[in-house]
Every structure is written in C-alpha cells, then in structure tokens.
Amino acid sequence: LVSPVCDACSPAPPPRAYRLGPSHPARMSIEASALALYGAVNVGVYAFGAAFLVSRHRPLADQRRQLSWLLTTFAALVVTVVGSYYAFGAWWQGVSSAVELYRPSDPMQWLRPSGGGAPEEPVSRHLCLFFLAYCGVDSVLGALHYPEQIDVGYYHHALYSVLLCYLLHTRQTLLFAICGVEELPTLLVGGNHLLGDGGNPRFGVGVVFFLTRVSYHCWITARALDRLDPLLYWVSSVLLITHVGWFQSYLAKGSLPSKRQSRAAARVATGGSTGMQGGASAGPLHERALWSMATRHLLVFVAMLVGQALLHSTLTARVLRAAMQPPAADGERGGEWCRAAAWAAYVCVGNLLVVAYTVRRLARALRDVYTANFISDSLVARRIIYNISWEDPAVEVAELRLGQRDVILTIASAGCNVLDYLIEKPAGIVAADLNEAQLALLDLKLASLAALDHAAFFALWARSDAAVFEASYAVRLRPLLQLDSSRAFWDTNGELFASNLFFAGSAGFGARLLRLALRGCGALDAVVRGMRRGQAPDPRGWGMRIFTLCLSQMWLWRLLAPLGGVPTSQIDLLRRTPSVWISRVCEVFGSRMWRADNYFYYAYAVGRWDPHCCPRYLRPEHYEALRSSAHRVALHHGPLASAAASRDDFTVASLLDSMDWMGDEQIAEQLAALLPHMAPAGRLFWRSFGVAVHSPVLAQLRPTLVPEQDRVGWYLSQWVARAHPPDAPVADPAEPSGFRRFLCVGSGYAPSNTLVDDAAVCLQLARHALRTSKDVAAFYREQGPRYDGFREALLPGRERLMRFGLPWQRRPAAWLSVGCGTARDLEYVLGHVRECGTRLWLLDLSPELLAVAQQRVDRLGLAHQVTLLVGDVNDETLPGLPPRGSLDLVSCSYCLSMIPRWRTALSAMVRALRVGGQLALVDFTCRSDAPNHWSQKLNQWWFANDGVFLSREHTAALQQHGALRTLWFHESERRVVYTPLHATTYLYVGLKVSDVEFDWS
C-alpha cells in the first residue's frame, strides 16, 4: 500500500503564497504521473503474484476463472479490513469518549472540504489509489485472460474509477474509506469461490449485503448529508437505490433455488420418493424440514426489509427537520438565508424522493418473493391455494355440450368445476393437480357425496360447518377418501372449517384483503346487503366511490393481485391492454357481480353460500345425480401431461387458466403429452387474462374465441380448439403428436462480443448514420465477424419466433429465410430442421454475410439441406429461388423495416407461399397503443440514421392482408443496448388462406 503520492500529501501544507491548490495544473500533473506509476507497479505485482498462486493450486483449465476471483477477493479483503477500521471510528467516535481514534470530535468532519482542503488521512488516500489500481488491473487482465467473467466489471470499474478520481482530486477519500466495509459481501462470495464449492452462500451473503450496502450505506448517507457537496450526496443516493435494486433481484432469484434444492435433496435422500403418501416416508419429513429452514430465512429477510424502511424513514425525518431550520435572516446574512432555504428545499424534495423510491422497491421485493414462492410453498407445505374454483363451469357446459359420451380431463383446483361437470353424467372425469391439498379438497367432497345427506353436505360446503366435519370425518368420510395424502391432510387440517373455509388459502387471503379494503372505505355492509338482495348498492356513496377509484388503478392490481393467488405471468398479459382490464373490472363491480346466481363474489362478500346463491352441485335437485356418478371421478397427483396417459379416449380437456401460468416450452410439453391421448374429435378449452392468444404454440392449434362471457369476468378471453384439426397432416403411429418437435433443441451457440468489438460496431453504425448515401452492402461488410455478437442483445424475439412460432408440428418441407444475414436463426432450430428434414433457402443482399452463413451451414452439417442465394427478394426471377406458391414457410427477421420497397417485398413473400403455408416475421415497429408518443418519434429518428424505418404501416398491412389470417401477434419493449431508448418489436405469424393479391391503395 505504498504510494509515491503519500509524501506529497502527508506533510503540512506550505505557506499560502507558495501552496499548490488541488486544482493547480502542476499539482494535478504530479498526481496523475504518480498515479500512473502506482497503477503500473500494481499491474506487475497483481499479474505475477496472482498467476503464480493460481498456477500452484488450480488446474490449467480453471486458472482463468480463479485468477479473476483471486484479484477480486484480494481487493475486497484489503478494502474491507481498512474500511472496517474507519467504519468503527465513524460509528463510535461521537458516542464513546473511550475510543479516540481520530482527532476531530465528529468523525464526519473529515468529509467536509474547507479552506485549502479537508483533513485527510494518508491511509484513506492510499486505499483509494489501491482500489483504483485494482479496477485498472482487473479490466486489463480481464480483457486479456477472462473476458467472459469481466463483462459487467467494465461498467463497474469505469464508474468507480471516475468516482475515485473525483474523491482524490477533492481530498475527500475518507468517504470511500468509511464505506469500504461495504465490500464484505464481495469478500464472502470470492472466498467461497476460491475455498468452497463455487456456489454462493445465498443466505449469509444476502444478510451481509443488506446490512452493509443498504442499511449501513443509508446511515452514512444521512449522517454525512451536511458534510457532502450535492454531487457526492446524489452519487451516494444513486448507489443506495442501485444496491436496493440488486438486493431485490437477489431476493427474487436467490430464495427459489434454495427451495428447489431442498426438494431435490429430499428426493435424493429418499431414493427418489415424491412424497405422494402424505408423510408416510422420511422424504416428505426431510423436505418439510428444509422448507421450514428456507421459510425462516425468508422471515429474516422480511424483518430486515421492514426494519430498513423504518430506519430510512427515521433518518429522513431527522434530515428534514434539520434542513427546515435555516439561519436567521439579519440583513447582512440575507443572502446566506436564501441559499440555506434553497438548500433546505433541495434536500427535502431529494430525500423524500429517495425514501419513497427505496420503500417502494422494498415493498415490491416483498411482493415478488411472495409471488414467486406462494405456489411452491403451497406445494411443499401442502397448503390450499384456492378454496373455490374461479372459472365459471357454465361456459364449458354450454360451449362443449358436455354429455354422457364425454371423457373429461381437467384440473382439480377446488373441485367446484369437477362436480359441476359431473351433473351432466359424463363417462369419466380425470382430475389432476400438483397440489395434494387441492386434491384432498376434491377428495373430501366426493366422500361427502357418498356418505352424507344433502342437508349435511350443504352445511359442510356452503356454511363451512365445523360440527358436521368433526361428527362425520373419522367414521364416515375418512375411509372413503381415495388418496392416502388426503387422509394425511385432513387428519391435521380440520380447523379449516372452524376458521371458515372461504377465507383459507391464498385466494382466501385475497378475500380478506378485499373485505378489509371495503371495510376501510365504509362500504362492506352495503356490499353484503347488496349481494343478499341481488342489487348493486348506491354508487354515489363516498365509500363506494373510493372503492371504485381503487379498482381503477392498474398499479394497485399489479401490487395486490399476486397476494390473492394470481401469478405475475397473468398480470403481465395485461401490460399492453390496461384500459381493457380496468373497464372490465368496473363493469363487473358495477353490474355483473350483483347477479342473483353469481355465487363467486357472494361467497367472499358474505362468507358463505345460501340456497338462493350457490353452485349447481349444492342444489338439492342435482344431489342424487351427483351421488350416482361420483365413482366416475379419478384423482391424479401430478401434471395434466402425466394424467393424460391414464386413458386414450379423452373428448374434452378443460385446462381452466393454466396456460397463462406457463411459458412456451411448458405449453409445448403439455400439448405434446396431451394430444396423443385425445379422441379424434377431442376439444381443448382454456381461459386467459389476455385479449388474444398469448403463446405462439397455442396459436398453432388455431383456436376459436368463445364470445360468451362468464360470471367471474376476470378472464378477457376464452378459447376452444380441436385437438386434431381436419387439415392437420396424417399422424405417424409412432409419433402421434407433432408438438413434440417444438421441444427440439438448437446448437447452443451463444455469440458474444468484447467491449472493444461492440465499440467497433458502434463506430461503424455512427459512420453509416453520417453518410449521405447509405450503402447497405458496405455497412454489413465492415461488421463481418462481429455481426452476431452485437445483434444478440439488439434484436430480441428471434429465438422465440424460430423455436415456437414456426409450424414445426406440421413438418414444413420448404422454408425461405429472407434477409438471413449470417444464418444466426438457423442455430436456434438446428434440431427442428434436422428432425423435419426441411429444405431451406437463405436469401440476402450481402455476399460477406452469406460467406459467414456458408461457414455456419458447413459447421452444422446442413449443406445438403441448405441453398444460399445472393439477391433481392423483390427479384422473383432470381435463379435458384423455389417456384412461386410452393413454400410451406417464409420468415424474415429484422429485415422488412430496412427494405425501401417493403410493400413489394411483402407481396413477394406472400406469393412464394402455398395456400396453407405460414409467414413469420420479427421486426421493429412503433407501439400500437401510442404510435405518436415522443418516445416513438425519437426511436424513429434514431433507427432511421442506420437505415431502419419504423412504421405502423408494416403491422397494419400484415393484419389486414386479404390473403393472410393472423394466427399470432405480439408486441413488447426492450432497451436498446448502450442507449436509454426502449424499442418496440413485434412477432407475427400468419396463415395464407388464399391467393388474393393485396390492394395497397
């Protein structure tokens, strides 16, 4: 830690006449030279010492990664040790007179520059120089030896280098010294990588990170407010906000793996037991113990988050009180008073904004953790999520015309829909669920049908009568339960009836929140009276007005809906259509929920069901039919995919809203397992929060929108599709479901550029933007091998379109890729192309990019399936192109917006398809809900400089084209790399239904 700057900094300053101030050019030159020499010495020491240590203790293949962690750990160790010394003094100096570590009576007095410079300890200056040298060394060695580990470090090191140089120049290095203890989490992670198994100690690091980088940093920022200049204060505040954001991400990502690991450990410990026997083996007991530990950790985090919110609020209140007391105005000090008042206003507004933002982030962290864990927690702990089913079965019964020949596969949920279907006397019902508690709920309902009369059955399930349960469970109901896990559940959870089953589970928690909000608005009694009368209360009351106003706030739905059992994946479907959702919610609350037969809202408002408002299965006229058919229900613990294997004659698959919970790959897995077991005339039915089909895999079923609205009203769309469309290709007996091909994998290739490569591409982009004549061929020729790495993050959505948007279930035989570039898209679907034997034509204007594409095709071993063509898509006479109207598939990735004659190009692509073929595009556009917003205008100007022209005309032409039928359309936003811009992209899949030419007029 010896620095050549030390001797210049430590002595007392010379007389004012000869003193070089901090801003003097000579002094700055001397410091810069000394700093450069100091950094050079550290580079040598770091490079030789770290390389020697790593080579002695690690194999060659692991040396590069360990070298990066060794440097980071060493730097964190030095900064943490020195920083702890200064942090201890900062914490105790003003409290205990026994500890006299520093001369100033107030340790924060170090931070205030005054006169010719603030008091500054040589060690703190050395520490800044040391860390600055580390940033430079790590960046250089990272670029040379471990570029894959240093990628994010470039930004971190660059920002800290600027900050450290500012502290060195203003002689405020003690601020960095007392904040050095914040490197303790990095020291723990680095030490674990060097000495442990390489995995992060999640819980310990999380606690230490929060205490040092959030709580301690917050205290330091508030304590040193009056010692800091405005720039450093805001830098410290921004760092605090950044640390809170990092902790939020850690909490959302870090808590789930621990629970997954606990379940995996339980399965390994029991030889693969899944715990389906409800606690009969050691596996579930071990699993519960590990889950309890994870829950305790979560409670610790919750306590820390609440404590931090209180700490930050208290510190902010003290800062505001101090800022609101400016010096008295007495003539000569009038200017000082004005400056103090302005500073007070500045501090007040700034602190309020910072505390509001951080508390909001902490609240979102709690919400995100609950949302991410409530399903897995309920599965592991065997807790009920839904106490009633919130899907109206009347829609399925009417739309699908359920009857005695139907065999139904569905989700158990709370069992309400299963019993409603049972009234139609189907040939069989298989009810599956991943949650044993939900199966136990349905199992008990089926046992109650067989053992109780209607009066007792109604009292148990409509009134949550605990006396009926206690009197009949042990002797009459328990022996009739189908599953051992159901017996284990009800042996220990009978109190659910005593505490009112309608308020149990995640959905019951949402009901309690709803009632609490109504009570707070003074509207609960009016709502209960209105539900019993079947008449909406007076909307002019102040309580109803406040409640309606709350319902119309989309941000409130995003915050609270997950607490009621609605996953974030469903809420995200409303991101583009919030006005539609708010309009529907207001309509439901204004009229729909007050219908006399709307038992869904009645249960949560009143707390029970009554004879005039209850599900069909609770009515006496259907009771005997239910009792006679109860034996036709089979229960299955597991996903629908595994339950489907129990039979091969399902005529109906009622998926409820489960598709909203799944990603594209999960949906493909579900359909691949389900469709082979569907009858030839089988149908699928599902609901969605979205106004359109949200997954391209579901879109390949070509579903039909069900116009009838249900009594719940939450679902903006309901869909029905045939399991085996008439025009589907003839199924291979050995491969009954083509949807299995969606699960093929690509090559796994993930291109990446170094920071230098990206800088070179950005320079070429700038040069292209400044050219008066745009030479597209030269533009791409200059980028060459850097093309893929830079565009991997710049062009999102390609993998999703290629893997799940193309009709792989129909085994496309001929595919034309327009504007293929380097054929990067081919890497995503390597397995798909091989499996289907698809013949592929790659078309592009740039010979240089096609040369890279040729190398890729040869490397992938697809030369016998792929033809490369240099030319323009508008030239339909180009030699080598397949005949017009012969292709099964045409795709275009981020090319249409770069074609000046895009209408002609689009017409050429449509003409190349056969009737029944599909057109797939992904490209930039303007937001459909705000095409004239200033941000969209800015995007248009920015992209136009590089020859990319954003226009709503492209998507309008696709959706209105007479020869095309839109199967799937999706818009989303993503930040443009290295810029603050957020560009809108669209994904489109269309089916050619005729040879009609589009009238562009």
Side-chain angles (χ1 to χ4, degrees):
L1 298 179
V2 179
S3 167
V5 181
C6 303
D7 296 335
C9 300
S10 300
R16 179 176 296 272
Y18 302 98
R19 187 173 187 274
L20 298 180
S23 305
H24 196 282
R27 179 190 175 104
M28 295 177 66
S29 300
I30 294 173
E31 288 196 3
S33 301
L35 181 60
L37 177 62
Y38 179 72
V41 172
N42 274 273
V43 168
V45 174
Y46 270 38
F48 287 103
F52 173 76
L53 291 174
V54 171
S55 62
R56 295 272 298 184
H57 299 285
R58 289 287 176 174
L60 181 61
D62 201 29
Q63 285 183 17
R64 291 184 175 181
R65 184 172 65 88
Q66 292 301 321
L67 178 61
S68 67
W69 278 112
L70 184 62
L71 296 177
T72 301
T73 305
F74 177 59
L77 175 63
V78 173
V79 176
T80 301
V81 171
V82 179
S84 299
Y85 171 77
Y86 281 93
F88 181 79
W91 184 267
W92 288 104
Q93 179 66 20
V95 179
S96 175
S97 59
V99 181
E100 297 181 357
L101 298 178
Y102 309 106
R103 180 169 299 177
S105 59
D106 181 2
M108 293 299 171
Q109 188 176 348
W110 309 331
L111 307 178
R112 187 172 187 174
S114 59
E120 189 178 44
E121 291 260 327
V123 175
S124 68
R125 192 167 184 84
H126 300 168
L127 188 66
C128 278
L129 291 170
F130 168 80
F131 199 77
L132 186 61
Y134 156 72
C135 293
V137 170
D138 196 38
S139 298
V140 172
L141 294 183
L144 295 176
H145 296 291
Y146 41 89
E148 63 279 359
Q149 274 84 31
I150 195 63
D151 188 29
V152 178
Y154 285 129
Y155 309 104
H156 174 276
H157 294 345
L159 291 175
Y160 267 88
S161 296
V162 173
L163 177 60
L164 291 172
C165 288
Y166 179 80
L167 294 177
L168 287 166
H169 175 65
T170 58
R171 303 177 60 82
Q172 300 183 81
T173 56
L174 282 166
L175 174 64
F176 178 76
I178 63 174
C179 291
V181 72
E182 296 181 22
E183 282 295 300
L184 181 57
T186 305
L187 176 62
L188 294 179
V189 174
N192 188 65
H193 273 274
L194 293 175
L195 305 176
D197 58 359
N200 292 346
R202 295 183 181 278
F203 179 70
V205 171
V207 172
V208 173
F209 183 95
F210 189 87
L211 294 178
T212 56
R213 296 202 177 186
V214 178
S215 296
Y216 177 74
H217 190 97
C218 178
W219 177 81
I220 286 293
T221 302
R223 184 74 173 82
L225 176 62
D226 59 339
R227 319 292 188 190
L228 299 177
D229 57 63
L231 177 61
L232 282 182
Y233 167 70
W234 284 114
V235 168
S236 183
S237 298
V238 170
L239 287 176
L240 174 63
I241 292 172
T242 304
H243 293 164
V244 171
W246 287 350
F247 183 76
Q248 180 185 0
S249 300
Y250 155 79
L251 201 58
K253 297 177 182 178
S255 56
L256 279 176
S258 63
K259 295 192 177 183
R260 292 196 198 100
Q261 292 166 3
S262 69
R263 293 196 292 275
R267 288 193 292 270
V268 171
T270 58
S273 171
T274 60
M276 291 184 62
Q277 300 305 313
S281 66
L285 295 178
H286 182 55
E287 185 178 332
R288 284 196 175 196
L290 293 174
W291 171 83
S292 298
M293 179 183 67
T295 301
R296 289 195 298 271
H297 291 176
L298 187 60
L299 291 177
V300 171
F301 284 135
V302 171
M304 290 194 306
L305 292 174
V306 174
Q308 170 61 25
L310 295 176
L311 171 66
H312 200 168
S313 302
T314 302
L315 291 173
T316 301
R318 291 181 178 179
V319 169
L320 295 181
R321 282 199 301 268
M324 294 300 291
Q325 297 177 359
D330 55 359
E332 295 181 355
R333 301 184 61 190
E336 182 180 349
W337 187 93
C338 293
R339 287 193 297 271
W343 171 249
Y346 176 76
V347 168
C348 290
V349 174
N351 273 276
L352 288 175
L353 290 176
V354 171
V355 72
Y357 184 81
T358 53
V359 170
R360 173 177 173 269
R361 292 296 295 264
L362 294 176
R364 287 183 60 184
L366 291 176
R367 191 277 313 266
D368 291 344
V369 169
Y370 177 84
T371 302
N373 287 276
F374 81 88
I375 297 176
S376 58
D377 287 355
S378 298
L379 296 181
V380 176
R382 297 174 180 86
R383 291 199 303 259
I384 288 176
I385 298 178
Y386 302 107
N387 45 30
I388 66 174
S389 298
W390 276 85
E391 293 85 8
D392 190 352
V395 179
E396 292 104 298
V397 172
E399 179 67 26
L400 303 177
R401 297 187 177 90
L402 299 181
Q404 298 181 5
R405 296 183 178 182
D406 284 312
V407 179
I408 304 172
L409 175 65
T410 189
I411 299 171
S413 187
C416 301
N417 287 34
V418 174
L419 297 185
D420 195 283
Y421 302 156
L422 200 58
I423 295 174
E424 307 302 323
K425 299 183 179 179
I429 298 178
V430 176
D433 210 295
L434 290 169
N435 190 349
E436 292 178 342
Q438 300 295 155
L439 287 172
L441 193 61
L442 175 56
D443 203 354
L444 188 64
K445 289 183 178 181
L446 294 172
S448 302
L449 283 172
L452 304 178
D453 57 22
H454 178 263
F457 184 81
F458 188 88
L460 181 63
W461 296 109
R463 301 295 175 84
S464 188
D465 194 331
V468 174
F469 177 83
E470 293 172 0
S472 57
Y473 172 70
V475 179
R476 305 176 63 184
L477 299 180
R478 193 178 190 278
L480 299 178
L481 296 176
Q482 297 182 29
L483 304 177
D484 292 337
S485 59
S486 300
R487 299 185 184 91
F489 177 83
W490 289 114
D491 287 348
T492 57
N493 289 280
E495 73 278 358
L496 291 176
F497 290 97
S499 59
N500 198 336
L501 185 63
F502 291 104
F503 299 127
S506 299
F509 180 63
R512 292 182 185 275
L513 289 179
L514 177 65
R515 290 172 62 88
L516 182 63
L518 287 170
R519 182 176 287 110
C521 297
L524 180 60
D525 292 339
V527 169
V528 172
R529 288 194 302 269
M531 295 300 300
R532 288 175 173 171
R533 298 172 183 173
Q535 182 179 1
D538 186 0
R540 294 173 296 179
W542 67 270
M544 296 301 297
R545 288 183 178 181
I546 294 176
F547 189 69
T548 305
L549 179 63
C550 293
L551 288 177
S552 63
Q553 305 302 311
M554 193 64 206
W555 65 270
L556 197 58
W557 282 101
R558 290 196 180 100
L559 179 66
L560 299 179
L563 302 181
V566 179
T568 53
S569 57
Q570 283 192 309
I571 298 298
D572 289 342
L573 296 178
L574 306 171
R575 191 178 301 275
R576 306 291 300 195
T577 56
S579 60
V580 178
W581 167 255
I582 295 301
S583 176
R584 173 64 67 85
V585 169
C586 292
E587 183 268 331
V588 168
F589 188 74
S591 60
R592 190 178 310 196
M593 68 177 289
W594 309 105
R595 289 173 47 179
D597 62 342
N598 198 330
Y599 61 84
F600 301 96
Y601 298 97
Y602 189 94
Y604 283 0
V606 181
R608 67 173 188 268
W609 280 320
D610 289 318
H612 73 278
C613 188
C614 64
R616 284 203 306 165
Y617 71 86
L618 287 174
R619 296 177 183 172
E621 61 267 25
H622 300 301
Y623 193 68
E624 291 303 322
L626 282 171
R627 297 189 69 173
S628 62
S629 303
H631 65 281
R632 301 178 185 178
V633 179
L635 305 181
H636 178 85
H637 178 224
L640 280 176
S642 61
S646 62
R647 305 183 63 145
D648 291 323
D649 58 346
F650 289 107
T651 60
V652 171
S654 179
L655 307 177
L656 304 186
D657 65 342
S658 62
M659 296 295 99
D660 283 358
W661 296 50
M662 302 181 187
D664 296 324
E665 188 166 358
Q666 292 175 301
I667 293 174
E669 291 175 352
Q670 193 90 303
L671 294 179
L674 172 60
L675 295 180
H677 300 281
M678 297 291 293
R683 296 152 295 168
L684 291 83
F685 187 96
W686 71 90
R687 296 168 167 82
S688 176
F689 266 42
V691 296
V693 177
H694 73 283
S695 170
V697 180
L698 285 174
Q700 291 297 339
L701 291 172
R702 303 180 188 177
T704 302
L705 179 66
V706 177
E708 183 176 351
Q709 296 184 357
D710 63 359
R711 287 169 287 186
V712 174
W714 289 12
Y715 303 101
L716 300 183
S717 62
Q718 300 170 102
W719 304 90
V720 63
R722 299 189 64 172
H724 307 289
D727 61 338
V730 179
D732 184 350
E735 184 193 25
S737 174
F739 279 83
R740 183 185 63 82
R741 283 190 284 275
F742 283 104
L743 304 177
C744 294
V745 297
S747 65
Y749 171 70
S752 61
N753 280 358
T754 65
L755 189 63
V756 175
D757 290 333
D758 282 350
V761 175
C762 291
L763 178 60
Q764 292 159 3
L765 290 172
R767 291 171 55 191
H768 181 72
L770 295 174
R771 289 171 180 161
T772 54
S773 60
K774 309 294 185 183
D775 187 348
V776 178
F779 175 64
Y780 288 119
R781 182 171 57 251
E782 293 173 352
Q783 298 179 43
R786 301 186 182 100
Y787 181 90
D788 286 341
F790 184 78
R791 281 161 176 76
E792 196 68 12
L794 181 64
L795 308 178
R798 293 180 296 169
E799 181 177 8
R800 187 182 190 191
L801 182 68
M802 293 297 112
R803 291 185 59 195
F804 303 111
L806 306 189
W808 298 115
Q809 85 285 0
R810 294 175 176 266
R811 198 186 291 269
W815 173 17
L816 171 64
S817 177
V818 177
C820 65
T822 62
R824 171 66 179 100
D825 290 351
L826 190 56
E827 301 267 9
Y828 296 126
V829 291
L830 176 61
H832 306 68
V833 172
R834 286 175 174 172
E835 172 113 0
C836 297
T838 304
R839 187 83 168 84
L840 176 59
W841 285 264
L842 300 176
L843 177 65
D844 201 279
L845 279 173
S846 172
E848 290 75 19
L849 295 183
L850 283 178
V852 179
Q854 182 67 66
Q855 297 174 6
R856 172 171 279 127
V857 169
D858 294 339
R859 175 172 55 84
L860 297 177
L862 296 176
H864 62 288
Q865 291 179 239
V866 179
T867 300
L868 285 82
L869 301 172
V870 180
D872 191 342
V873 66
N874 292 321
D875 183 7
E876 299 184 58
T877 62
L878 182 70
L881 275 179
R884 178 188 295 185
S886 62
L887 294 173
D888 299 301
L889 176 62
V890 174
S891 67
C892 182
S893 297
Y894 292 98
C895 179
L896 189 65
S897 58
M898 302 185 70
I899 302 177
R901 298 166 54 203
W902 65 269
R903 294 181 178 85
T904 306
L906 181 57
S907 297
M909 286 187 272
V910 174
R911 284 194 295 269
L913 287 168
R914 65 171 178 82
V915 175
Q918 294 190 20
L919 176 67
L921 293 94
V922 54
D923 213 328
F924 294 112
T925 186
C926 297
R927 285 190 61 140
S928 57
D929 55 344
N932 298 318
H933 193 265
W934 65 267
S935 61
Q936 304 305 302
K937 299 295 184 183
L938 179 60
N939 287 343
Q940 286 179 308
W941 171 81
W942 178 270
F943 281 92
N945 289 318
D946 289 317
V948 180
F949 300 97
L950 279 56
S951 174
R952 288 298 308 170
E953 293 184 7
H954 297 172
T955 55
L958 289 169
Q959 294 176 314
Q960 298 172 12
H961 201 292
L964 296 174
R965 170 190 162 194
T966 300
L967 294 181
W968 184 65
F969 181 82
H970 175 74
E971 277 189 11
S972 61
E973 280 72 44
R974 187 165 179 175
R975 190 174 68 85
V976 181
V977 291
Y978 303 120
T979 74
L981 303 178
H982 284 75
T984 302
T985 59
Y986 72 89
L987 290 85
Y988 170 87
V989 179
L991 176 71
K992 185 175 180 180
V993 295
S994 71
D995 287 316
V996 175
E997 289 288 338
F998 185 61
D999 183 5
W1000 293 103
S1001 61

